[in-house]
Amino acid sequence: MGGLYHGRILLHWCDSCHTPVLAERCACGADTRPVPVTPPGDARPAFPDDIAFVNTIYQEQFGMSIIPDGQIALLNKVPDHDRMEEIIVGGAIVGAIRYLPEERRWEALPRPDAALISTPKKRFMIIDEGALSSIREGRSLLAPGLVSCDPSVREGDEVFMMTPSGICAGVGRARMDAEEANRMERGQVVKTRKNIPSAYIPGTASWDDAVAANAEVLARAEAASGKFIADHIGPYEHLPMSVSYSGGKDSLATLLVVMNTYRKIPILYIDTGLEFPSTEENVRAVRETYDLECIRIASADEFWRDFEISGPPARDNRWCCKTSKLEPLRQHIISSYGEDGEIVSFIGQRKYESFSRMKNPRVWRNSYVKNQICLAPIHTWTALHVWLYIFREKAPYNRLYRHGVDRMGCYMCPASDLGILEKIKALHPDLWQEWEQAVLLWMNRHGISNSWFESGKWRTRGDEAA
């Protein structure tokens, strides 16, 4: 499984505090060990709903839970066809979950350390003790090494390979059903999956403990962001300023950094008319908590006007950003400050988010809204920096994060994975029904089959809607 490096992977684990630490030394004084996550390594906290969701998938597939009560867990999104996340517990990658769009279901991909947390009750194979070392070296399980196969195993299933004494030799994909495996005398039974080894060391901890363990990390990150602002704001200090606020975690962390290291300034919120209800709640909560002016720009009419012409936006046809955000912002600047007027916006852009953002400068002039000068104070932060900083500040964050949605913005954004859109559909069926009806009406007018929407192909335009 490959990955993209957007910066040095900072994630470590303190076995004394049982928390993630974004440095080689914990605030408690103990050395930490690196967690071998897949790049870009932008891991985030697993909230209670995330934990319940992961454990449900593993219960259905293996009859086991892999995130114990009281232990901190992280989820690390990794490159895949749709959505895939590694699960980090006790400083180890104990498994992953993957969304399969064609089957509209989530699949559990365990790692051997999962068996240190719980014993699989189904989809396992008992192997001869003599096969233990070869399987741990990455060799596949051959028929002579199989003692017995759980009856629930089907060809293509992910399985645990366990010794009679309860040691997990490895994990992999079954090459046949249980009945055939049990009667085989030769040949490959399981193709072992090779994984970078990691060490599972259990221990209970809270997110307050994690904030304390990263106290020095957060202080350094805040100071570096403050220095960036001080070093670059000089030529623009006379201009109107705001923090571009989306209701998401990155814009919230940016706001906190600006207030803590520079000064209090207004937030700028562009209401596309496609926002989550929780985003509206969060904008209001942030404005009231910090007594901030909120510059609000509404653009719903513009979106639906262009929708009638262009149809649903897609990953390769994101007309929506220009229509719903950039042009309304440009017009706002002109109407407020004149044709030659300019503004400064602090933006929650981070290089760990994407390859394109990694390449972006930290100070730039918007290529479309040329009268907007943008500064990115938290460009070098990971998602865990952001969350720990928000937890430290006890700031009000968008409640949708607690339900497994890790990207705020328009609820039907085509950049979202299908696995996340399925969660959004379940959380907000009314919003999704409104979107579905609008797209289906447009499709009917243009003679496009309903399967185009149902399959998720609307998210990538290409020539399929022509």
Side-chain angles (χ1 to χ4, degrees):
M1 182 166 52
L4 295 172
Y5 287 91
H6 298 165
R8 188 161 64 95
I9 293 181
L10 303 175
L11 184 61
H12 288 65
W13 201 268
C14 176
D15 293 324
S16 297
C17 298
H18 303 294
T19 66
V21 178
L22 293 164
E24 295 177 359
R25 182 174 289 272
C26 178
C28 76
D31 290 335
T32 61
R33 56 186 171 92
V35 182
V37 291
T38 300
D42 202 28
R44 64 180 179 89
F47 289 94
D49 276 13
D50 291 309
I51 293 171
F53 184 69
V54 167
N55 282 340
T56 296
I57 294 169
Y58 275 79
Q59 281 288 347
E60 291 174 352
Q61 202 162 319
F62 299 105
M64 64 190 296
S65 296
I66 66 166
I67 305 180
D69 291 342
Q71 293 194 40
I72 283 180
L74 302 174
L75 297 176
N76 179 50
K77 184 182 176 183
V78 300
D80 198 59
H81 295 302
D82 191 69
R83 184 78 175 191
M84 183 170 176
E85 293 184 291
E86 291 173 331
I87 303 149
I88 299 105
V89 183
I93 302 169
V94 298
I97 55 173
R98 168 195 284 162
Y99 187 70
L100 305 175
E102 299 83 6
E103 302 175 37
R104 295 190 179 182
R105 69 177 181 90
W106 289 84
E107 179 186 39
L109 300 170
R111 296 280 185 96
D113 279 340
L116 298 175
I117 299 172
S118 181
T119 302
K121 306 296 190 302
K122 53 185 177 179
R123 292 187 175 86
F124 62 88
M125 295 190 180
I126 302 299
I127 65 165
D128 187 274
E129 296 279 359
L132 176 63
S133 59
S134 67
I135 291 173
R136 284 193 164 174
E137 289 170 1
R139 295 186 179 92
S140 294
L141 173 64
L142 302 179
L146 176 67
V147 175
S148 65
C149 180
D150 174 66
S152 67
V153 172
R154 295 291 177 268
E155 180 182 356
D157 281 352
E158 285 285 319
V159 296
F160 284 87
M161 291 173 279
M162 309 291 294
T163 68
S165 60
I167 297 172
C168 180
V171 294
R173 213 169 268 281
R175 300 300 299 269
M176 63 203 65
D177 292 354
E179 184 178 353
E180 183 180 355
N182 282 324
R183 66 169 183 259
M184 272 189 66
E185 296 182 359
R186 58 186 299 176
Q188 189 183 84
V189 180
V190 177
K191 181 174 177 58
T192 300
R193 193 170 68 250
K194 296 180 181 179
N195 297 301
I196 297 173
S198 57
Y200 171 67
I201 300 178
T204 59
S206 68
W207 282 105
D208 285 341
D209 296 327
V211 170
N214 287 273
E216 296 169 13
V217 170
L218 295 176
R220 288 195 299 269
E222 181 183 67
S225 293
K227 185 177 185 302
F228 164 79
I229 294 171
D231 289 347
H232 293 89
I233 199 63
Y236 315 113
E237 198 130 31
H238 63 288
L239 296 175
M241 296 182 190
S242 60
V243 172
S244 290
Y245 195 78
S246 67
K249 69 183 191 307
D250 296 335
S251 57
L252 175 57
T254 300
L255 172 64
L256 296 171
V257 162
V258 170
M259 290 194 300
N260 288 342
T261 66
Y262 182 50
R263 60 184 172 87
K264 185 183 289 190
I265 61 176
I267 58 174
L268 179 81
Y269 171 56
I270 300 178
D271 176 12
T272 64
L274 301 163
E275 311 297 330
F276 294 106
S278 59
T279 296
E280 292 288 339
E281 294 170 11
N282 181 253
V283 171
R284 183 168 57 252
V286 165
R287 187 188 71 232
E288 293 173 354
T289 299
Y290 303 109
D291 190 24
L292 296 170
E293 177 189 354
C294 178
I295 302 166
R296 186 186 190 100
I297 303 172
S299 63
D301 292 344
E302 287 84 347
F303 175 86
W304 291 113
R305 177 199 66 209
D306 284 5
F307 174 89
E308 289 301 315
I309 301 167
S310 303
R315 292 184 173 194
D316 53 351
N317 185 21
R318 292 180 67 174
W319 57 262
C320 49
C321 292
K322 179 179 175 182
T323 293
S324 298
K325 295 181 180 180
L326 298 180
E327 180 59 21
L329 174 59
R330 192 177 74 85
Q331 292 299 330
H332 165 79
I333 296 170
I334 292 172
S335 64
S336 300
Y337 307 109
E339 287 285 348
D340 297 324
E342 295 181 318
I343 67 166
V344 171
S345 296
F346 291 97
I347 310 285
Q349 173 184 282
R350 297 186 301 107
K351 69 177 183 178
Y352 286 92
E353 291 180 278
S354 67
F355 185 67
S356 61
R357 293 196 172 188
M358 178 196 73
K359 296 188 296 181
N360 284 352
R362 294 185 69 178
V363 181
W364 73 99
R365 191 179 288 272
N366 192 302
S367 59
Y368 184 79
V369 187
K370 293 183 169 34
N371 43 4
Q372 181 192 34
I373 297 112
C374 306
L375 288 83
I378 66 166
H379 186 72
T380 60
W381 291 25
T382 68
L384 197 52
H385 281 98
V386 168
W387 278 114
L388 291 170
Y389 193 62
I390 289 171
F391 294 158
R392 191 194 80 173
E393 295 296 303
K394 296 180 169 47
Y397 59 86
N398 197 316
R399 61 180 171 82
L400 201 58
Y401 284 116
R402 302 174 198 158
H403 302 299
V405 179
D406 67 341
R407 187 178 186 277
M408 299 303 121
C410 300
Y411 69 85
M412 31 49 69
C413 179
S416 297
D417 301 314
L418 286 173
I420 294 302
L421 289 178
E422 284 296 319
K423 288 188 177 185
I424 291 169
K425 182 178 178 180
L427 289 166
H428 291 290
D430 52 338
L431 290 180
W432 194 258
Q433 185 177 22
E434 178 183 328
W435 174 243
E436 183 174 4
Q437 288 176 347
V439 177
L440 291 177
L441 283 172
W442 181 86
M443 289 164 52
N444 288 337
R445 287 198 298 271
H446 291 79
I448 300 171
S449 167
N450 286 1
S451 63
W452 186 67
F453 181 79
E454 293 165 0
S455 66
K457 291 181 179 178
W458 63 272
R459 295 161 55 251
T460 305
R461 184 59 50 83
D463 296 321
E464 295 187 55

